[in-house]
mmCIF file of all heavy atoms in Angstrom:
data_model
loop_
_atom_site.group_PDB
_atom_site.id
_atom_site.type_symbol
_atom_site.label_atom_id
_atom_site.label_comp_id
_atom_site.label_asym_id
_atom_site.label_seq_id
_atom_site.Cartn_x
_atom_site.Cartn_y
_atom_site.Cartn_z
ATOM 1 N N LYS A 44 9.674 -7.527 -13.901
ATOM 2 C CA LYS A 44 8.356 -7.233 -14.456
ATOM 3 C C LYS A 44 8.254 -7.689 -15.904
ATOM 4 O O LYS A 44 7.209 -8.193 -16.332
ATOM 5 C CB LYS A 44 8.051 -5.738 -14.357
ATOM 6 C CG LYS A 44 6.685 -5.361 -14.934
ATOM 7 C CD LYS A 44 6.285 -3.936 -14.630
ATOM 8 C CE LYS A 44 4.883 -3.652 -15.164
ATOM 9 N NZ LYS A 44 4.366 -2.335 -14.728
ATOM 10 N N ASP A 45 9.325 -7.528 -16.670
ATOM 11 C CA ASP A 45 9.286 -7.933 -18.081
ATOM 12 C C ASP A 45 8.994 -9.421 -18.224
ATOM 13 O O ASP A 45 8.229 -9.839 -19.104
ATOM 14 C CB ASP A 45 10.594 -7.564 -18.779
ATOM 15 C CG ASP A 45 11.830 -8.135 -18.076
ATOM 16 O OD1 ASP A 45 11.732 -8.491 -16.880
ATOM 17 O OD2 ASP A 45 12.895 -8.221 -18.725
ATOM 18 N N PHE A 76 23.681 5.128 8.466
ATOM 19 C CA PHE A 76 24.180 5.368 7.107
ATOM 20 C C PHE A 76 24.624 6.820 6.983
ATOM 21 O O PHE A 76 23.974 7.732 7.498
ATOM 22 C CB PHE A 76 23.099 5.056 6.076
ATOM 23 C CG PHE A 76 22.751 3.592 6.016
ATOM 24 C CD1 PHE A 76 21.744 3.078 6.820
ATOM 25 C CD2 PHE A 76 23.448 2.728 5.186
ATOM 26 C CE1 PHE A 76 21.427 1.728 6.795
ATOM 27 C CE2 PHE A 76 23.137 1.380 5.153
ATOM 28 C CZ PHE A 76 22.127 0.873 5.959
ATOM 29 N N TYR A 89 9.335 -14.387 -9.752
ATOM 30 C CA TYR A 89 10.317 -15.464 -9.837
ATOM 31 C C TYR A 89 9.907 -16.376 -10.985
ATOM 32 O O TYR A 89 8.946 -17.147 -10.867
ATOM 33 C CB TYR A 89 10.372 -16.240 -8.520
ATOM 34 C CG TYR A 89 10.659 -15.356 -7.323
ATOM 35 C CD1 TYR A 89 9.623 -14.702 -6.647
ATOM 36 C CD2 TYR A 89 11.965 -15.147 -6.889
ATOM 37 C CE1 TYR A 89 9.885 -13.879 -5.563
ATOM 38 C CE2 TYR A 89 12.238 -14.329 -5.799
ATOM 39 C CZ TYR A 89 11.190 -13.687 -5.147
ATOM 40 O OH TYR A 89 11.454 -12.874 -4.073
ATOM 41 N N ILE A 152 11.949 0.088 9.522
ATOM 42 C CA ILE A 152 10.816 0.660 8.792
ATOM 43 C C ILE A 152 9.572 -0.165 9.108
ATOM 44 O O ILE A 152 9.659 -1.287 9.609
ATOM 45 C CB ILE A 152 11.057 0.654 7.263
ATOM 46 C CG1 ILE A 152 11.272 -0.790 6.754
ATOM 47 C CG2 ILE A 152 12.217 1.562 6.898
ATOM 48 C CD1 ILE A 152 11.313 -0.925 5.239
ATOM 49 N N ASN A 210 2.451 8.412 17.183
ATOM 50 C CA ASN A 210 1.181 7.788 16.830
ATOM 51 C C ASN A 210 1.295 7.210 15.423
ATOM 52 O O ASN A 210 1.763 7.891 14.508
ATOM 53 C CB ASN A 210 0.040 8.806 16.865
ATOM 54 C CG ASN A 210 -0.202 9.354 18.248
ATOM 55 O OD1 ASN A 210 -0.547 8.618 19.163
ATOM 56 N ND2 ASN A 210 -0.002 10.655 18.416
ATOM 57 N N ASN A 335 -14.686 17.426 3.899
ATOM 58 C CA ASN A 335 -14.367 16.825 2.610
ATOM 59 C C ASN A 335 -13.965 17.923 1.626
ATOM 60 O O ASN A 335 -14.687 18.910 1.455
ATOM 61 C CB ASN A 335 -15.572 16.050 2.070
ATOM 62 C CG ASN A 335 -15.881 14.819 2.906
ATOM 63 O OD1 ASN A 335 -14.987 14.086 3.273
ATOM 64 N ND2 ASN A 335 -17.147 14.617 3.228
#
Side-chain angles (χ1 to χ4, degrees):
K44 180 170 183 172
D45 55 340
F76 293 90
Y89 304 86
I152 60 171
N210 296 298
N335 292 316

